[in-house]
Amino acid sequence: SDAFLILNPRKSERTTATELQILKQELDEQLGGLWTSLTQALLQPYLARKLHVMTRSKKLPSLPKNLVAPTIVAGLGSVGRGQDRAALMEFISTVSQGLGPEALTQFINPLELMKRLAAASGIDTLNLIKDPATMEAEQQQAQQQMMQQQMMGQMGQLAKSPMAERLMNDYAEQAQPAGGPAAQEPTPPDPLTQG
């Protein structure tokens, strides 16, 4: 089992998940480079040949070269993904500890980091991670809503000011109809006071 790297955990009732994870990680580290080279040397040419034969025999439509690029993500190619994820997490941790958390936001592209972590975990990111255009549109919408809220708050403060009350009173006086209380018939002059 040692010669063929067979995973052989100890059999007891106290075997922990962490112990199994360490054994799996050791196996991935030992075989990761081998499987990566085998994928490049054997599986990709095999896949290209199979696609060519199926296209020529009309069992598969021809794939556009600039839009579709088949890649191997399962089988032997997936063995090294755990190692890639561990290396990526170790890199991020080292940068954060060595340069501080500010360095992560300054030097690391978060969108690319999320894509690489998802790829290392074997997760399809189609419609999962927002594209930059969607994030920018959402950010602009949030800014517009914040500006509207600020303007409404300022308008409410202005409406309570003495100057606004005077303007409202002046407007109310001008808006009253000609036959309203301000346009009553004048009272006749008192003859005793005119004398």
Side-chain angles (χ1 to χ4, degrees), residues 67-88:
L67 295 177
V68 178
T71 57
I72 298 169
V73 294
L76 299 179
S78 66
V79 172
R81 286 192 303 214
Q83 187 177 3
D84 292 343
R85 184 180 182 281
L88 187 59

Side-chain angles (χ1 to χ4, degrees), residues 42 62-63 80 86 95-97 102 113 125 142 159 163 175 191-192 194:
L42 299 174
S62 62
L63 303 174
V95 169
S96 177
Q97 291 173 357
E102 300 84 23
L113 174 65
T125 60
M163 184 172 146
L192 296 175
Q194 283 186 351

Side-chain angles (χ1 to χ4, degrees), residues 61-166:
S62 62
L63 303 174
K65 297 230 184 259
N66 56 352
L67 295 177
V68 178
T71 57
I72 298 169
V73 294
L76 299 179
S78 66
V79 172
R81 286 192 303 214
Q83 187 177 3
D84 292 343
R85 184 180 182 281
L88 187 59
M89 293 305 294
E90 182 182 347
F91 171 74
I92 294 298
S93 175
T94 304
V95 169
S96 177
Q97 291 173 357
L99 301 175
E102 300 84 23
L104 288 178
T105 58
Q106 185 177 1
F107 296 113
I108 304 293
N109 181 354
L111 185 62
E112 186 64 26
L113 174 65
M114 289 174 58
K115 286 181 180 179
R116 289 187 186 193
L117 281 173
S121 298
I123 298 171
D124 183 17
T125 60
L126 183 65
N127 295 328
L128 176 65
I129 298 176
K130 296 177 184 176
D131 61 337
T134 304
M135 290 190 294
E136 186 177 333
E138 288 178 356
Q139 187 177 13
Q140 287 178 355
Q141 184 179 8
Q143 287 176 348
Q144 288 176 352
Q145 287 178 348
M146 189 172 17
M147 287 175 57
Q148 287 176 352
Q149 288 175 352
Q150 287 176 350
M151 288 178 62
M152 293 300 285
Q154 290 174 355
M155 289 174 65
Q157 290 175 354
L158 285 174
K160 295 177 184 176
S161 69
M163 184 172 146
E165 288 179 11
R166 269 188 267 138

Side-chain angles (χ1 to χ4, degrees), residues 1-9 27 30-31:
S1 66
D2 288 343
F4 289 101
L5 301 174
I6 296 173
L7 184 63
N8 193 7
L27 186 63
Q30 292 169 357
L31 296 177

